[in-house]
Amino acid sequence: MKATQLLKGQHREAERLFDLALSGIGDVGRVIDELTKHLLAHMLAEQVVLFPELLAIEPELVGGACEEHTVARFEIRRVVNTAPEDPSFEAKLTTLRELVMRHIDEEERELLPWIEAELCEETNERLGQQMLELFDALIAHSRRAHGSSHAAQRTATAA
């Protein structure tokens, strides 16, 4: 799978999880746990696999994205450290969602088209495979090591 396809798919999943969490339907804590694991694994896969490759070619492409990831990790910690019943929870989750959606929009308007135009198909495929393997390994490790309770909080703190 190409990196660009993988990232778009992960973006759609993040959107789905945000919508589900903000709907208040079901176990919001479980959805937040899944959402934060997803976001943290996604960001780490970008930073470890994709960004170093792009920095070597066009450093200006990823500088802002790295800063946005730092802010997102801060906002994730705020969300996971707030109970869904807390009056400030929805505002914190909405702030995180707006930050992530803006980041997704910028990536899909600027970064992903650049990757499609500038990287050869083989490189795009290789990066996608490496990112998918790392993403899957991070999610599996998080589930094994921490189970579903408080895993996102520990992962957010470590990231």
Side-chain angles (χ1 to χ4, degrees), residues 99-115:
L99 173 71
V100 170
M101 292 304 110
R102 185 173 54 248
H103 178 75
I104 286 172
D105 180 59
E106 289 173 7
E107 251 185 27
E108 292 187 0
R109 275 188 301 105
E110 298 168 18
L111 183 63
L112 300 186
W114 186 91
I115 290 171

Side-chain angles (χ1 to χ4, degrees), residues 4-159:
T4 49
Q5 292 170 318
L6 174 67
L7 293 173
K8 286 178 185 177
Q10 290 177 344
H11 292 165
R12 298 299 80 78
E13 178 63 5
E15 291 170 350
R16 184 188 74 77
L17 291 168
F18 272 116
D19 289 345
L20 186 57
L22 286 166
S23 76
I25 298 170
D27 184 348
V28 174
R30 183 196 57 75
V31 174
I32 293 300
D33 187 55
E34 186 177 343
L35 171 65
T36 55
K37 285 178 188 176
H38 178 88
L39 291 174
L40 292 165
H42 170 84
M43 290 186 297
L44 191 57
E46 282 184 330
Q47 288 177 222
V48 169
V49 176
L50 182 64
F51 291 176
E53 185 103 13
L54 299 181
L55 279 169
I57 302 167
E58 189 65 43
E60 295 162 7
L61 279 176
V62 296
C66 290
E67 290 303 314
E68 290 170 356
H69 284 184
T70 299
V71 174
R73 284 192 304 274
F74 173 79
E75 293 298 329
I76 288 168
R77 279 192 294 275
R78 292 182 71 223
V79 168
V80 298
N81 287 324
T82 305
E85 306 79 36
D86 187 296
S88 68
F89 177 79
E90 187 174 340
K92 289 175 183 176
L93 182 58
T94 299
T95 299
L96 176 61
R97 184 183 196 286
E98 289 171 0
L99 173 71
V100 170
M101 292 304 110
R102 185 173 54 248
H103 178 75
I104 286 172
D105 180 59
E106 289 173 7
E107 251 185 27
E108 292 187 0
R109 275 188 301 105
E110 298 168 18
L111 183 63
L112 300 186
W114 186 91
I115 290 171
E116 287 286 344
E118 300 296 325
L119 297 184
C120 69
E121 185 90 9
E122 181 180 300
T123 300
N124 196 344
E125 288 279 346
R126 176 181 53 81
L127 292 171
Q129 185 59 39
Q130 290 172 344
M131 287 192 323
L132 179 59
E133 289 171 7
L134 178 55
F135 178 87
D136 286 347
L138 290 166
I139 294 295
H141 173 74
S142 180
R143 287 184 178 140
R144 278 192 316 271
H146 306 295
S148 62
S149 65
H150 304 293
Q153 182 175 357
R154 286 191 286 267
T155 306
T157 303

